[in-house]
Amino acid sequence: MGARPGGGFGRPRTPRPPPTPEQILALATKEHVPARIAKGELEGKMKCRVWRKLHAEEAKRFDQVYALMGQNPGLSLPDAFGVLQSGLTVTDFLARKERTQRKAAVKQARGEVDDTSVSAFINGLLESKTELAVVLGERTVLDTLATVEPISFVLGRSGRLEKLQVVMVTRRSDWEQLTPQLDRDQKLAQKPANVARQPDKRPFSDPRPFLPHQSQLVHLTLRNGIQLSMRLRVVGRFDLIVGEDGHEVFIPLHALVRFSAEEEALDAETPGDEAGENE
């Protein structure tokens, strides 16, 4: 029982320790193979050189990827494959990846903020047919709100107006009282700052930093130079509402170039003389 030919008994084999991530990475890098193949060889399965013979085309791609990684220290394996598949340079690919990540971060940030109160305010103006002052970069439109679309306001007399053009909206009666006492940044008043199409390139696109300042006195500079000091009432996904009850001012985040609260300034504060470069 258990005896081997020639005498003696067989000893049970000691299980080999599982390979460490460092060992797998080192072998994969040396042999230019996927990590799973390197892991398999270390576990006593198919050797890397055999896999390369059986999968010559895929092995060739891994040679190209590892060559890219050797030429660009710090480039990860997934990114190297992305460069190879996209046909872009390493610099262009990483820049595109960063833009994509910034866009995703802005989308996530907006999704974390409740937009119910802002929507209710706008719908209230629409349903009541309130005469409004819609302030744009270089002019003010006096009209009523007829329809709200995803990227546009449709006005009763003036027709469709892209939301990116809007700097602020308030009731016409409040605007007439507010106008004589408005302070303005003269440089922005003469040349309003442009609004970048990409939200991640704007001075303010993440609404979350504004949330702690609700109910505080805030100081705003808008892209056409208008400067306001009012109570921050509501923070929405895309907009702020400031002012007193019944005399609210609606301000899209894209219209902001500077923001500070009564107690402290936001880290994202952007100087007005640089705001015009944000295209």
Side-chain angles (χ1 to χ4, degrees), residues 137 181-193 220-228 255 257-258 269-276:
Q181 49 188 311
L182 279 179
D183 291 325
R184 293 179 181 266
D185 179 307
Q186 291 305 313
K187 185 178 290 187
L188 289 171
Q190 293 173 11
K191 185 180 180 181
L220 315 173
T221 299
L222 310 184
R223 68 181 188 87
N224 64 349
I226 289 177
Q227 296 178 323
L228 301 172
V257 294
R258 285 197 296 270
E269 184 171 329
T270 303
D273 58 352
E274 296 176 4

Side-chain angles (χ1 to χ4, degrees), residues 143-207:
D143 209 331
T144 57
L145 193 56
T147 310
V148 178
E149 298 178 348
I151 62 171
S152 305
F153 291 126
V154 180
L155 304 181
R157 297 183 295 275
S158 306
R160 183 172 283 99
L161 185 66
E162 188 180 17
K163 289 181 180 178
L164 285 184
Q165 295 180 258
V166 177
V167 174
M168 60 181 278
V169 178
T170 190
R171 296 171 179 83
R172 178 176 180 174
S173 56
D174 292 332
W175 175 246
E176 291 171 349
Q177 294 181 13
L178 188 62
T179 303
Q181 49 188 311
L182 279 179
D183 291 325
R184 293 179 181 266
D185 179 307
Q186 291 305 313
K187 185 178 290 187
L188 289 171
Q190 293 173 11
K191 185 180 180 181
N194 294 319
V195 179
R197 287 283 170 182
Q198 301 86 350
D200 57 285
K201 291 186 177 182
R202 298 171 193 160
F204 300 96
S205 55
D206 184 346

Side-chain angles (χ1 to χ4, degrees), residues 8-279:
F9 290 88
R11 295 180 180 178
R13 291 185 178 180
T14 304
R16 75 169 66 185
T20 65
E22 292 75 15
Q23 291 172 324
I24 295 171
L25 178 61
L27 183 59
T29 303
K30 177 185 175 184
E31 299 292 342
H32 293 185
V33 297
R36 60 184 174 81
I37 302 301
K39 182 174 183 288
E41 176 169 327
L42 292 170
E43 291 174 340
K45 300 173 185 176
M46 181 190 294
K47 292 188 176 295
C48 296
R49 58 182 175 78
V50 175
W51 179 87
R52 288 182 59 82
K53 287 182 179 179
L54 294 174
H55 302 84
E57 284 299 317
E58 194 172 353
K60 182 180 178 181
R61 286 196 296 273
F62 271 87
D63 287 338
Q64 294 172 319
V65 163
Y66 278 104
L68 270 176
M69 294 169 66
Q71 296 162 8
N72 299 272
L75 187 68
S76 68
L77 185 66
D79 284 348
F81 265 109
V83 171
L84 191 64
Q85 292 168 357
S86 67
L88 299 172
T89 65
V90 172
T91 301
D92 289 345
F93 175 83
L94 294 178
R96 186 180 72 174
K97 178 185 174 182
E98 183 182 359
R99 289 195 301 271
T100 301
Q101 290 174 335
R102 289 201 306 265
K103 289 177 182 177
V106 169
K107 185 176 181 180
Q108 179 182 352
R110 288 172 169 174
E112 294 177 6
V113 175
D114 183 13
D115 208 44
T116 305
S117 297
V118 172
S119 297
F121 173 74
I122 292 296
N123 287 333
L125 296 178
L126 187 154
E127 292 170 4
S128 64
K129 299 297 181 183
T130 302
E131 188 76 10
L132 303 173
V134 183
V135 181
L136 311 180
E138 297 176 332
R139 64 192 178 95
T140 299
V141 178
L142 303 177
D143 209 331
T144 57
L145 193 56
T147 310
V148 178
E149 298 178 348
I151 62 171
S152 305
F153 291 126
V154 180
L155 304 181
R157 297 183 295 275
S158 306
R160 183 172 283 99
L161 185 66
E162 188 180 17
K163 289 181 180 178
L164 285 184
Q165 295 180 258
V166 177
V167 174
M168 60 181 278
V169 178
T170 190
R171 296 171 179 83
R172 178 176 180 174
S173 56
D174 292 332
W175 175 246
E176 291 171 349
Q177 294 181 13
L178 188 62
T179 303
Q181 49 188 311
L182 279 179
D183 291 325
R184 293 179 181 266
D185 179 307
Q186 291 305 313
K187 185 178 290 187
L188 289 171
Q190 293 173 11
K191 185 180 180 181
N194 294 319
V195 179
R197 287 283 170 182
Q198 301 86 350
D200 57 285
K201 291 186 177 182
R202 298 171 193 160
F204 300 96
S205 55
D206 184 346
R208 294 173 302 180
F210 297 87
L211 292 171
H213 303 288
Q214 289 183 108
S215 301
Q216 292 182 4
L217 181 66
V218 295
H219 308 287
L220 315 173
T221 299
L222 310 184
R223 68 181 188 87
N224 64 349
I226 289 177
Q227 296 178 323
L228 301 172
S229 294
M230 293 183 173
R231 192 76 53 188
L232 177 57
R233 298 177 57 83
V234 176
V235 177
R237 291 177 184 171
F238 311 95
D239 320 282
L240 306 177
I241 297 177
V242 299
E244 300 304 321
D245 187 23
H247 303 280
E248 298 90 348
V249 178
F250 168 89
I251 299 173
L253 287 179
H254 64 249
L256 280 177
V257 294
R258 285 197 296 270
F259 175 97
S260 62
E262 193 171 39
E263 298 178 355
E264 58 182 0
L266 285 178
D267 292 339
E269 184 171 329
T270 303
D273 58 352
E274 296 176 4
E277 300 174 4
N278 289 292
E279 296 187 274

